[in-house]
Structure formats: structure tokens, C-alpha cells
Amino acid sequence: MRVQDHPILGKRSSGKPITMFLDGEPLVVYEGETIASALMAEGKRVFRYTRKERSPRGYFCGLGRCTDCTMTVDGIPQVRTCITLVKEGMQVETQEGLGRWSEKQC
């Protein structure tokens, strides 16, 4: 399931295949799509776990308004994956609680 027509970002262009990494594993995704769309197409439904109860969260509003789809992206926690486009070599991590900044970003 790829998001073909995003309510904010518009129609998905059929971009070239690129590689991003999910929890260290390479994934082939397509330039011009959001992280959330790429992950859903790969069958990934859990993007983060809540801080107190470790409840799973994933794609919900698709507009960047809620925080259910946040993940740690290139060492930056709380990135809204439903409105963030994939990039070659991007490192995406399933987020625990509020996430942690990588040492590179501090």
C-alpha cells in the first residue's frame, strides 16, 4: 500500500528506486514518497512505542498533525514520517518513547 495522492504533498511521482535503512536493514523505496508510505508498502505497521505503556503506534492522520507516526530519522527523534520524504541512505529507526538524539546530532 503506497500513498498515491497525499492530501498535503500531492500526487506521488514515480521516482527512481533508492535505498534507505530501517533499524539497520536496507529497504528499496522510491524517490518522492514519504517514509510512512514506503514502510507501509513493506508491511511495517508499527513505527514507535509509547513511553508509559509501550503501546504500538503507526500511520494515523497522514497530515503531520498527530504524532503517531513519529520515528527517529538520521539521529533526530520525533520526525513525522507521514510528511517526510525518503532520501538515499536515510537511517530510520523504530522509536521507543520520545526517542533519543544520536551523538552526531547533539
Side-chain angles (χ1 to χ4, degrees), residues 23 27 40 47 52 71 81:
D23 297 325
L27 287 179
M40 289 189 314
F47 295 0
K52 288 186 181 179
M71 298 180 86
T81 61

Side-chain angles (χ1 to χ4, degrees), residues 1-19:
M1 177 182 154
R2 284 196 150 77
V3 176
Q4 299 298 326
D5 193 5
H6 193 280
I8 293 174
L9 302 174
K11 292 194 184 292
R12 181 178 84 85
S13 64
S14 50
K16 68 178 182 175
I18 60 174
T19 302

